[in-house]
Structure formats: structure tokens, C-alpha cells
Amino acid sequence: MTDEHVIIFVKNPVPGTVKTRIARTVGDEQATAVYRHLLRHTQTIAGQLTAQPVVYYGDFVNPDDGWNGYPKYLQTGDDLGQRMLHAFQEQFAAGAARVVIIGSDCPYISPAHIGQAFDALRDHDVVIGPALDGGYYLLGLREPLAFVFENKPWSQPDLLTITLAELTQKKISYTLLEPLSDIDEWADYEAWQGKKQ
């Protein structure tokens, strides 16, 4: 088993629980269909990786779904930061030397981005893929740096700025991948579909 692990945070595609901002525009069923589409894209990416994908569910572990064949875990913690930190700690404890985390709502991410992230971790402590909304679509570490996950404004436009300032202050080496958009609103999804045509 490789010592490079890719944590993938997912939810089960249950109407009313996924892509709630999209649902405000087009309803729960359409929002769930969008999320299923994003999940299939992420599963395609996972199948092309040389690193080991591990899947962390935000609600319940589905024993029979499109993630069969990968290790499956349940996210634990009171907020996104705690859930991510716990997942990183678990994967480092399992023998990983470099760990990258992605979500399941960035359709522009490719195996090349994830490969670039692992390459960057050979020379840097942290690698981040900036999202255009001020957050990030990818985070990679060589060790579980707890402060990266503590007291952060999750889902807010200043998340990346605050994170980078803290890394700089603590003299932690980092590098950035190219910025990408994720899918939070219906217009984001329409833009993605427009680019595919």
C-alpha cells in the first residue's frame, strides 16, 4: 500500500441534506442530482490515482455504493476543522507519509492536481489548492498540524487568507496549486456544464 493517502470527504446523496444552496434555487431533487453528478466525477478521479483513496462520510457509511473497494470511514468531530484533523490523524497513524484531502464538489480537479500536490509535499510542509470563493478545494500535509484546523472561519471568504497568514507566522513552508472553482450555487453548476460543451 502506498504511503500517499487521499482523504475524500463525501455525503450520501439524500435529498434535503446535500447542496442546500443549490436547492434554494432548483429544489432538493435537482440539487441531489447535481451532487450525484459531482460524486461520479470524484469517483472517476479516485480511480485514476496512484495514491490510496480513503472515503470519509459526513453522515453514515454506506456499505454498498460507488465507493466500494476503498477504505470507508465516518467523519468525527463537532465542526469541519475537527473532522478534517481527525481524518488526517487517522491516516498518518495508518502509515501515510503524505496526506491530501479533497471534497466531492470541485469538478475541475484532476488526477494531475493531486499528483502535483504530492510532489509539492516532498519540498513543503503544506500544499493548498485555493478555491475561487476564498476557501480551498485541496489541502495536503506531511504531518497533522492541528492549528491549521482550529479557530477557522469555515465556508467564509477569508479562510484561505487567514490560513496562509498563520502558516507564514509559524514559519511553516507551503505552496499553492492553481485556483479552481467549486460548486456551491446553481450558477456554478451551469457554468461547469457550459464549459464541458
Side-chain angles (χ1 to χ4, degrees):
M1 186 170 171
T2 176
D3 64 356
E4 296 179 338
H5 294 190
V6 180
I7 297 166
I8 305 172
F9 266 27
V10 304
K11 292 181 180 179
N12 289 286
V14 177
T17 67
V18 295
K19 291 294 153 202
T20 52
R21 280 195 271 175
I22 290 177
R24 286 186 215 129
T25 303
V26 296
D28 287 339
E29 293 300 328
Q30 184 65 40
T32 305
V34 168
Y35 188 62
R36 287 184 190 277
H37 191 181
L38 292 166
L39 277 176
R40 287 194 299 273
H41 173 78
T42 310
Q43 287 160 359
T44 299
I45 298 301
Q48 299 171 8
L49 299 177
T50 56
Q52 171 63 55
V54 290
V55 182
Y56 277 78
Y57 292 82
D59 39 14
F60 61 91
V61 174
N62 192 328
D64 187 19
D65 62 4
W67 296 109
N68 289 359
Y70 299 117
K72 296 180 177 183
Y73 300 82
L74 187 64
Q75 298 173 28
T76 58
D78 294 333
D79 65 13
L80 178 59
Q82 288 184 12
R83 295 196 299 270
M84 288 197 295
L85 175 59
H86 183 264
F88 270 97
Q89 289 172 331
E90 209 162 36
Q91 293 310 307
F92 281 116
R98 289 170 295 282
V99 180
V100 163
I101 190 169
I102 62 171
S104 46
D105 59 358
C106 180
Y108 302 102
I109 196 169
S110 69
H113 291 111
I114 295 171
Q116 290 164 12
F118 281 114
D119 288 345
L121 287 174
R122 299 183 186 281
D123 302 310
H124 300 84
D125 298 314
V126 178
V127 59
I128 296 177
L132 296 179
D133 62 5
Y136 47 77
Y137 63 85
L138 177 150
L139 173 68
L141 302 175
R142 293 198 292 198
E143 61 179 298
L145 301 170
F147 74 86
V148 171
F149 305 99
E150 296 168 348
N151 303 311
K152 294 296 184 297
W154 303 112
S155 302
Q156 298 301 312
D158 54 351
L159 172 62
L160 180 64
T161 301
I162 289 172
T163 302
L164 296 183
E166 196 168 14
L167 290 170
T168 300
Q169 177 195 357
K170 294 181 181 295
K171 296 182 170 52
I172 303 293
S173 66
Y174 69 86
T175 189
L176 302 178
L177 303 180
E178 69 169 313
L180 298 176
S181 177
D182 48 21
I183 304 293
D184 292 318
E185 305 284 354
W186 177 246
D188 300 331
Y189 184 71
E190 289 185 311
W192 176 41
Q193 294 304 289
K195 288 181 180 179
K196 290 171 64 179
Q197 293 171 4

